[in-house]
Coordinates of all heavy atoms in Angstrom, one line a residue:
M1 N 77.6 135.5 63.5 CA 76.3 135.0 63.8 C 76.0 135.3 65.3 O 76.9 135.3 66.1 CB 76.2 133.4 63.6 CG 74.9 132.9 63.8 SD 74.7 131.1 63.4 CE 75.0 131.1 61.7
D2 N 74.7 135.4 65.7 CA 74.5 135.7 67.0 C 74.8 134.6 68.1 O 75.2 133.5 67.6 CB 72.9 135.8 67.4 CG 72.0 136.3 66.5 OD1 72.0 137.3 65.9 OD2 71.0 135.5 66.4
E3 N 74.6 134.9 69.3 CA 74.9 133.8 70.3 C 73.8 132.8 70.2 O 74.2 131.6 70.7 CB 75.0 134.5 71.7 CG 76.0 135.4 71.9 CD 76.0 136.0 73.2 OE1 75.5 135.5 74.1 OE2 76.7 137.1 73.4
Q4 N 72.6 133.0 69.7 CA 71.7 132.0 69.7 C 72.0 131.0 68.5 O 72.6 131.5 67.5 CB 70.3 132.6 69.3 CG 69.7 133.5 70.4 CD 68.4 134.0 70.0 OE1 67.9 133.9 68.8 NE2 67.6 134.6 70.9
Q5 N 71.7 129.8 68.7 CA 72.1 128.8 67.7 C 71.1 129.0 66.6 O 69.8 129.2 66.8 CB 71.9 127.4 68.3 CG 72.4 126.3 67.3 CD 72.4 125.0 68.0 OE1 72.0 124.8 69.1 NE2 72.8 123.9 67.2
A6 N 71.5 128.8 65.4 CA 70.6 129.0 64.2 C 70.7 127.7 63.4 O 71.7 127.0 63.3 CB 71.1 130.2 63.3
T7 N 69.6 127.4 62.7 CA 69.6 126.3 61.8 C 69.2 126.8 60.4 O 68.4 127.7 60.3 CB 68.6 125.2 62.3 OG1 67.3 125.7 62.4 CG2 69.1 124.6 63.6
S8 N 69.6 126.1 59.4 CA 69.1 126.5 58.1 C 68.3 125.4 57.4 O 68.7 124.2 57.5 CB 70.4 126.8 57.2 OG 70.0 127.1 55.9
T9 N 67.2 125.7 56.7 CA 66.4 124.8 56.1 C 65.9 125.4 54.7 O 65.3 126.4 54.8 CB 65.1 124.4 57.0 OG1 65.5 124.0 58.2 CG2 64.3 123.3 56.3
F10 N 66.3 124.7 53.7 CA 66.0 125.2 52.4 C 66.3 126.7 52.2 O 65.5 127.4 51.6 CB 64.5 125.0 52.1 CG 64.1 123.5 52.2 CD1 63.2 123.1 53.1 CD2 64.7 122.6 51.4 CE1 62.9 121.8 53.3 CE2 64.4 121.3 51.5 CZ 63.5 120.8 52.4
G11 N 67.5 127.1 52.6 CA 67.9 128.5 52.4 C 67.4 129.5 53.4 O 67.8 130.7 53.4
R12 N 66.6 129.1 54.3 CA 66.0 130.0 55.4 C 66.7 129.7 56.6 O 66.8 128.6 57.1 CB 64.5 129.9 55.4 CG 63.9 130.9 56.5 CD 62.4 130.9 56.4 NE 61.9 131.6 57.6 CZ 60.7 131.5 58.1 NH1 59.8 130.7 57.4 NH2 60.3 132.2 59.0
V13 N 67.1 130.7 57.3 CA 67.8 130.6 58.6 C 66.8 130.8 59.7 O 66.1 131.8 59.7 CB 69.0 131.5 58.8 CG1 69.6 131.3 60.1 CG2 70.1 131.1 57.7
F14 N 66.7 129.9 60.6 CA 65.8 130.1 61.8 C 66.6 130.2 63.0 O 67.5 129.3 63.3 CB 64.9 128.8 61.9 CG 64.0 128.6 60.8 CD1 64.3 127.8 59.8 CD2 62.7 129.2 60.8 CE1 63.4 127.6 58.6 CE2 61.8 129.1 59.7 CZ 62.2 128.3 58.6
R15 N 66.4 131.1 63.8 CA 67.0 131.2 65.2 C 66.2 130.3 66.1 O 65.0 130.0 65.9 CB 66.8 132.7 65.7 CG 67.4 133.7 64.8 CD 68.9 133.9 65.0 NE 69.3 134.9 64.1 CZ 70.0 134.7 62.9 NH1 70.1 133.4 62.6 NH2 70.4 135.6 62.2
S16 N 66.9 129.8 67.1 CA 66.2 128.8 68.0 C 65.0 129.4 68.7 O 64.1 128.7 69.2 CB 67.2 128.2 69.0 OG 67.8 129.3 69.8
S17 N 65.0 130.7 68.9 CA 63.9 131.3 69.6 C 62.7 131.6 68.7 O 61.6 132.0 69.2 CB 64.4 132.7 70.2 OG 64.8 133.5 69.2
E18 N 62.8 131.5 67.4 CA 61.6 131.8 66.5 C 60.9 130.5 66.0 O 61.6 129.5 65.9 CB 62.0 132.7 65.3 CG 62.8 132.0 64.3 CD 63.2 133.0 63.1 OE1 62.2 133.4 62.4 OE2 64.3 133.2 62.9
P19 N 59.7 130.6 65.7 CA 59.0 129.4 65.3 C 59.4 129.0 63.8 O 59.9 129.9 63.0 CB 57.5 129.8 65.3 CG 57.5 131.2 65.2 CD 58.8 131.7 65.8
A20 N 59.3 127.8 63.5 CA 59.6 127.2 62.2 C 58.4 126.2 61.8 O 58.5 125.1 62.1 CB 60.9 126.6 62.2
Y21 N 57.3 126.8 61.2 CA 56.1 126.0 61.0 C 56.3 125.2 59.7 O 56.8 125.6 58.7 CB 54.9 126.9 60.9 CG 54.6 127.5 62.2 CD1 55.0 128.8 62.6 CD2 53.7 126.9 63.1 CE1 54.7 129.4 63.8 CE2 53.4 127.4 64.3 CZ 53.9 128.6 64.7 OH 53.6 129.1 65.9
R22 N 55.8 124.0 59.8 CA 55.8 123.1 58.6 C 54.3 122.4 58.5 O 53.8 122.1 59.6 CB 56.8 121.9 58.9 CG 56.8 120.9 57.8 CD 58.0 119.9 58.0 NE 59.3 120.6 58.0 CZ 59.9 120.9 56.8 NH1 59.4 120.6 55.7 NH2 61.1 121.4 56.9
A23 N 53.9 122.3 57.4 CA 52.6 121.5 57.1 C 52.9 120.3 56.4 O 53.9 120.2 55.5 CB 51.7 122.4 56.2
S24 N 52.3 119.2 56.8 CA 52.5 117.8 56.2 C 51.2 117.3 55.7 O 50.2 117.2 56.6 CB 53.2 116.9 57.2 OG 54.4 117.4 57.6
M25 N 51.1 117.0 54.4 CA 49.8 116.4 54.0 C 50.0 114.9 54.0 O 51.0 114.3 53.6 CB 49.7 116.8 52.5 CG 49.3 118.2 52.3 SD 49.0 118.5 50.5 CE 48.7 120.3 50.6
L26 N 48.9 114.2 54.5 CA 48.9 112.8 54.7 C 47.7 112.2 53.9 O 46.6 112.8 53.9 CB 48.7 112.5 56.2 CG 49.8 113.1 57.1 CD1 49.3 112.9 58.6 CD2 51.1 112.6 56.8
D27 N 48.0 111.1 53.2 CA 46.9 110.4 52.5 C 45.9 109.6 53.4 O 46.1 109.6 54.6 CB 47.4 109.6 51.4 CG 48.2 108.4 51.8 OD1 48.2 108.0 52.9 OD2 48.9 107.8 50.9
A28 N 45.0 109.0 52.9 CA 44.1 108.1 53.8 C 44.7 107.0 54.5 O 44.2 106.6 55.5 CB 43.0 107.5 52.8
N29 N 46.0 106.6 54.1 CA 46.7 105.6 54.9 C 47.7 106.2 55.7 O 48.6 105.4 56.2 CB 47.3 104.6 53.8 CG 46.3 103.9 53.0 OD1 45.4 103.3 53.6 ND2 46.5 103.8 51.7
E30 N 47.7 107.4 55.9 CA 48.6 108.2 56.8 C 50.0 108.3 56.4 O 50.9 108.4 57.1 CB 48.6 107.6 58.3 CG 47.2 107.6 59.0 CD 46.7 109.0 59.2 OE1 47.5 109.9 59.6 OE2 45.5 109.3 58.9
R31 N 50.2 108.1 55.0 CA 51.5 108.3 54.4 C 51.7 109.7 54.0 O 50.8 110.4 53.6 CB 51.6 107.4 53.2 CG 51.6 105.8 53.5 CD 51.9 105.1 52.3 NE 50.7 105.3 51.4 CZ 50.0 104.4 50.7 NH1 50.5 103.1 50.8 NH2 49.0 104.7 50.0
L32 N 52.9 110.2 54.1 CA 53.3 111.5 53.8 C 53.2 111.7 52.3 O 53.8 111.0 51.5 CB 54.7 111.9 54.3 CG 55.2 113.2 54.1 CD1 54.4 114.2 54.9 CD2 56.7 113.3 54.4
V33 N 52.4 112.7 51.9 CA 52.3 113.1 50.5 C 53.2 114.3 50.1 O 53.8 114.3 49.1 CB 50.8 113.4 50.1 CG1 50.7 113.9 48.7 CG2 49.9 112.2 50.4
W34 N 53.2 115.2 51.1 CA 54.0 116.5 50.8 C 54.3 117.1 52.2 O 53.4 117.0 53.1 CB 53.2 117.4 50.0 CG 53.8 118.8 49.7 CD1 54.7 119.1 48.7 CD2 53.6 119.9 50.6 NE1 55.1 120.4 48.9 CE2 54.4 121.0 50.0 CE3 52.8 120.2 51.6 CZ2 54.5 122.2 50.6 CZ3 52.9 121.5 52.2 CH2 53.8 122.5 51.6
S35 N 55.3 117.8 52.3 CA 55.7 118.6 53.4 C 56.5 119.8 53.1 O 57.2 119.8 52.2 CB 56.5 117.7 54.4 OG 56.8 118.4 55.6
G36 N 56.1 120.9 53.7 CA 56.8 122.2 53.4 C 56.7 123.2 54.5 O 55.8 123.2 55.4
L37 N 57.6 124.1 54.5 CA 57.6 125.2 55.4 C 56.5 126.2 55.1 O 56.2 126.5 54.0 CB 59.0 125.9 55.4 CG 60.2 125.1 55.8 CD1 61.5 125.9 55.5 CD2 60.1 124.8 57.3
L38 N 56.0 126.8 56.1 CA 54.9 127.8 56.0 C 55.5 129.2 56.3 O 56.2 129.3 57.4 CB 53.8 127.5 57.0 CG 53.1 126.2 56.8 CD1 52.0 126.1 57.9 CD2 52.5 126.0 55.4
P39 N 55.3 130.2 55.6 CA 55.8 131.5 55.7 C 55.0 132.3 56.8 O 54.4 133.3 56.5 CB 55.7 132.1 54.3 CG 54.4 131.5 53.8 CD 54.5 130.1 54.3
V40 N 55.0 131.8 58.0 CA 54.2 132.4 59.0 C 55.0 132.5 60.3 O 56.0 131.8 60.5 CB 52.8 131.7 59.3 CG1 52.0 131.6 58.1 CG2 53.1 130.2 59.7
H41 N 54.4 133.2 61.4 CA 55.2 133.4 62.6 C 54.4 133.1 63.8 O 54.9 133.3 64.9 CB 55.7 134.9 62.6 CG 56.7 135.2 61.6 ND1 58.0 134.6 61.5 CD2 56.6 135.9 60.4 CE1 58.6 135.0 60.4 NE2 57.8 135.8 59.8
D42 N 53.1 132.6 63.7 CA 52.5 132.3 64.9 C 51.5 131.1 64.6 O 51.2 130.8 63.5 CB 51.8 133.4 65.6 CG 50.7 134.1 64.8 OD1 49.9 133.4 64.0 OD2 50.6 135.3 64.9
D43 N 50.9 130.4 65.6 CA 50.0 129.3 65.5 C 48.8 129.7 64.7 O 48.4 128.9 63.8 CB 49.6 128.7 66.9 CG 50.6 128.0 67.6 OD1 51.8 127.9 67.1 OD2 50.3 127.5 68.7
K44 N 48.2 130.8 65.0 CA 47.0 131.1 64.3 C 47.2 131.3 62.9 O 46.4 130.8 62.0 CB 46.4 132.4 64.9 CG 45.1 132.8 64.4 CD 44.5 134.1 65.0 CE 43.2 134.5 64.4 NZ 42.7 135.7 65.0
A45 N 48.2 132.0 62.5 CA 48.5 132.2 61.0 C 49.0 130.9 60.4 O 48.6 130.6 59.2 CB 49.7 133.2 60.9
A46 N 49.6 130.1 61.1 CA 49.9 128.7 60.5 C 48.7 127.9 60.2 O 48.6 127.2 59.1 CB 50.8 127.9 61.5
V47 N 47.7 127.8 61.2 CA 46.5 127.1 60.9 C 45.7 127.7 59.8 O 45.1 127.0 58.9 CB 45.7 127.0 62.3 CG1 44.3 126.4 62.0 CG2 46.4 126.2 63.3
T48 N 45.6 129.0 59.8 CA 44.8 129.7 58.7 C 45.5 129.4 57.4 O 44.8 129.1 56.3 CB 44.8 131.2 59.0 OG1 44.2 131.5 60.2 CG2 44.2 132.0 57.9
F49 N 46.8 129.5 57.2 CA 47.5 129.2 56.1 C 47.3 127.7 55.6 O 46.9 127.4 54.4 CB 49.0 129.5 56.1 CG 49.7 129.4 54.9 CD1 50.0 130.6 54.3 CD2 50.2 128.3 54.3 CE1 50.7 130.6 53.0 CE2 50.9 128.3 53.0 CZ 51.1 129.5 52.4
A50 N 47.4 126.8 56.5 CA 47.1 125.4 56.2 C 45.7 125.1 55.7 O 45.5 124.3 54.8 CB 47.4 124.5 57.4
R51 N 44.7 125.8 56.3 CA 43.4 125.6 55.8 C 43.1 125.9 54.3 O 42.3 125.4 53.7 CB 42.4 126.5 56.6 CG 42.1 125.9 58.0 CD 41.0 126.8 58.7 NE 40.9 126.6 60.1 CZ 40.5 125.5 60.7 NH1 40.1 124.4 60.0 NH2 40.5 125.5 62.0
T52 N 44.0 126.9 53.8 CA 43.9 127.2 52.4 C 44.5 126.1 51.6 O 44.1 126.0 50.3 CB 44.6 128.5 52.0 OG1 46.1 128.3 52.3 CG2 44.2 129.6 53.0
M53 N 45.2 125.2 52.1 CA 45.7 124.0 51.4 C 44.9 122.8 51.4 O 45.2 121.8 50.8 CB 47.2 123.7 51.8 CG 48.2 124.9 51.7 SD 49.7 124.6 52.2 CE 49.7 123.5 53.6
L54 N 43.9 122.8 52.3 CA 43.1 121.6 52.7 C 42.2 121.2 51.4 O 41.4 122.0 51.2 CB 42.3 121.8 53.9 CG 41.6 120.7 54.5 CD1 42.6 119.6 54.9 CD2 40.9 121.1 55.7
E55 N 42.4 120.2 50.9 CA 41.5 119.7 49.7 C 41.3 118.2 49.9 O 40.3 117.8 50.5 CB 42.2 119.9 48.4 CG 42.2 121.4 48.0 CD 42.7 121.7 46.6 OE1 42.9 120.7 45.8 OE2 43.1 122.9 46.4
R56 N 42.2 117.3 49.4 CA 42.0 115.9 49.4 C 42.8 115.2 50.6 O 42.6 114.0 50.8 CB 42.4 115.2 48.1 CG 41.6 115.8 47.0 CD 42.0 115.1 45.7 NE 43.4 114.7 45.7 CZ 44.1 114.4 44.7 NH1 43.6 114.4 43.5 NH2 45.3 113.9 44.7
H57 N 43.7 115.8 51.3 CA 44.5 115.1 52.2 C 44.4 115.9 53.6 O 44.3 117.1 53.6 CB 46.0 115.2 51.7 CG 46.3 114.6 50.4 ND1 46.1 113.2 50.2 CD2 46.6 115.1 49.3 CE1 46.4 113.0 49.0 NE2 46.6 114.1 48.3
A58 N 44.5 115.1 54.6 CA 44.7 115.7 56.0 C 45.9 116.4 56.0 O 47.0 116.1 55.4 CB 44.6 114.6 57.0
I59 N 46.0 117.4 56.9 CA 47.1 118.3 57.0 C 47.5 118.3 58.5 O 46.7 118.7 59.3 CB 47.0 119.7 56.5 CG1 46.8 119.6 55.0 CG2 48.2 120.6 56.8 CD1 46.5 121.0 54.3
E60 N 48.8 118.1 58.9 CA 49.2 118.3 60.2 C 50.1 119.5 60.2 O 51.0 119.7 59.2 CB 50.0 117.0 60.7 CG 49.1 115.9 61.1 CD 49.8 114.8 61.7 OE1 51.1 114.8 61.8 OE2 49.1 113.8 62.1
V61 N 50.1 120.3 61.2 CA 50.8 121.6 61.3 C 51.8 121.3 62.5 O 51.3 121.0 63.6 CB 50.0 122.8 61.5 CG1 50.8 124.1 61.7 CG2 49.1 122.9 60.2
W62 N 53.0 121.6 62.4 CA 54.0 121.5 63.5 C 54.9 122.7 63.5 O 55.1 123.4 62.5 CB 54.9 120.3 63.1 CG 54.3 118.9 63.2 CD1 53.4 118.4 62.3 CD2 54.4 118.0 64.3 NE1 53.0 117.2 62.7 CE2 53.7 116.9 63.9 CE3 55.0 118.0 65.5 CZ2 53.4 115.8 64.7 CZ3 54.9 117.0 66.3 CH2 54.1 115.9 65.9
D63 N 55.3 123.0 64.7 CA 56.3 124.1 64.9 C 57.4 123.3 65.5 O 57.6 123.1 66.6 CB 55.8 125.1 65.9 CG 56.9 126.2 66.3 OD1 57.9 126.3 65.5 OD2 56.7 126.8 67.3
R64 N 58.4 123.1 64.6 CA 59.5 122.2 64.8 C 59.0 120.9 65.3 O 58.4 120.2 64.8 CB 60.5 122.9 65.8 CG 61.1 124.2 65.2 CD 62.1 124.9 66.3 NE 62.5 126.1 65.8 CZ 63.6 126.3 65.2 NH1 64.4 125.4 64.7 NH2 63.9 127.6 64.8
A65 N 59.4 120.5 66.6 CA 58.9 119.2 67.1 C 57.6 119.3 67.9 O 57.0 118.3 68.5 CB 59.9 118.6 68.0
R66 N 57.0 120.5 67.9 CA 55.7 120.8 68.7 C 54.6 120.6 67.7 O 54.4 121.4 66.7 CB 55.8 122.1 69.3 CG 54.5 122.5 70.2 CD 54.6 123.9 70.8 NE 54.6 124.9 69.8 CZ 53.6 125.5 69.3 NH1 52.3 125.2 69.7 NH2 53.7 126.5 68.4
F67 N 53.7 119.7 68.0 CA 52.4 119.5 67.3 C 51.5 120.7 67.6 O 51.2 121.0 68.7 CB 51.8 118.1 67.6 CG 50.4 117.9 67.0 CD1 50.5 117.5 65.7 CD2 49.2 118.1 67.7 CE1 49.2 117.3 65.0 CE2 48.0 117.9 67.1 CZ 48.0 117.4 65.7
V68 N 51.0 121.2 66.5 CA 50.0 122.4 66.6 C 48.5 121.9 66.4 O 47.7 122.0 67.3 CB 50.4 123.5 65.6 CG1 49.3 124.6 65.6 CG2 51.7 124.0 65.9
T69 N 48.3 121.2 65.2 CA 46.9 120.8 65.0 C 46.9 119.9 63.8 O 47.9 119.7 63.1 CB 45.9 121.9 64.8 OG1 44.6 121.4 64.8 CG2 46.3 122.6 63.3
R70 N 45.8 119.1 63.7 CA 45.6 118.4 62.5 C 44.3 118.8 62.0 O 43.3 118.9 62.6 CB 45.4 116.8 62.8 CG 45.3 116.0 61.6 CD 45.1 114.5 62.1 NE 44.7 113.7 61.0 CZ 45.4 112.8 60.3 NH1 46.7 112.6 60.6 NH2 44.9 112.1 59.4
L71 N 44.2 119.0 60.5 CA 43.0 119.4 59.8 C 42.6 118.2 59.0 O 43.4 117.7 58.2 CB 43.3 120.6 59.0 CG 44.0 121.9 59.7 CD1 44.3 122.9 58.7 CD2 42.9 122.3 60.7
E72 N 41.3 117.9 59.1 CA 40.8 116.8 58.3 C 40.0 117.4 57.1 O 39.4 118.4 57.2 CB 39.9 115.9 59.1 CG 40.5 115.2 60.2 CD 41.5 114.1 59.8 OE1 41.4 113.6 58.6 OE2 42.2 113.6 60.6
T73 N 40.0 116.6 56.0 CA 39.1 117.0 54.9 C 37.7 116.9 55.2 O 37.4 116.0 56.1 CB 39.5 116.1 53.6 OG1 39.2 114.8 53.9 CG2 40.9 116.2 53.2
P74 N 36.8 117.5 54.5 CA 35.4 117.4 54.8 C 34.9 116.0 54.7 O 34.1 115.4 55.5 CB 34.7 118.3 53.7 CG 35.7 119.3 53.4 CD 37.0 118.6 53.5
E75 N 35.5 115.2 53.7 CA 35.0 113.8 53.5 C 35.4 113.0 54.7 O 34.7 112.1 55.2 CB 35.6 113.2 52.2 CG 35.2 113.8 50.9 CD 35.9 115.1 50.7 OE1 37.0 115.3 51.1 OE2 35.3 116.0 50.0
R76 N 36.6 113.1 55.2 CA 37.1 112.3 56.4 C 36.4 112.7 57.6 O 36.2 111.9 58.5 CB 38.6 112.4 56.4 CG 39.3 111.7 55.3 CD 40.8 111.9 55.4 NE 41.4 111.0 56.5 CZ 42.6 110.8 56.7 NH1 43.4 111.4 55.8 NH2 43.1 110.1 57.6
R77 N 36.0 113.9 57.8 CA 35.2 114.4 59.0 C 33.9 113.7 59.0 O 33.4 113.3 60.0 CB 35.1 115.9 59.0 CG 36.3 116.6 59.5 CD 36.1 118.1 59.8 NE 35.4 118.7 58.7 CZ 36.0 119.7 58.0 NH1 37.3 120.0 58.3 NH2 35.4 120.3 57.0
R78 N 33.2 113.6 57.8 CA 31.9 113.0 57.7 C 32.0 111.5 57.9 O 31.1 110.9 58.6 CB 31.2 113.2 56.3 CG 30.5 114.5 56.2 CD 29.9 114.6 54.9 NE 31.0 115.4 54.2 CZ 31.2 115.6 52.9 NH1 30.3 115.2 52.1 NH2 32.2 116.1 52.4
A79 N 33.0 110.9 57.6 CA 33.2 109.4 57.7 C 33.5 109.1 59.2 O 33.3 107.9 59.6 CB 34.4 108.9 56.9
A80 N 34.0 110.0 60.0 CA 34.3 109.7 61.3 C 33.1 109.6 62.2 O 32.1 109.9 62.0 CB 35.3 110.7 61.9

């Protein structure tokens, strides 16, 4: 293995220098409904990919512990 520390998540190995994007779907009460890794390598691609999943639940996009964005459903945006 390289000198860089690597972590493994669901069979995919991430080097500490590369991003590891995750999308988390949250219900109206902010409870986690689903969370999964995104097959992308930068913020723009992560947000674009997450938008394709946006239906009934808000989605938060994270790169490891770094918050990237939160996407709201059209209904929740109108209610705000």
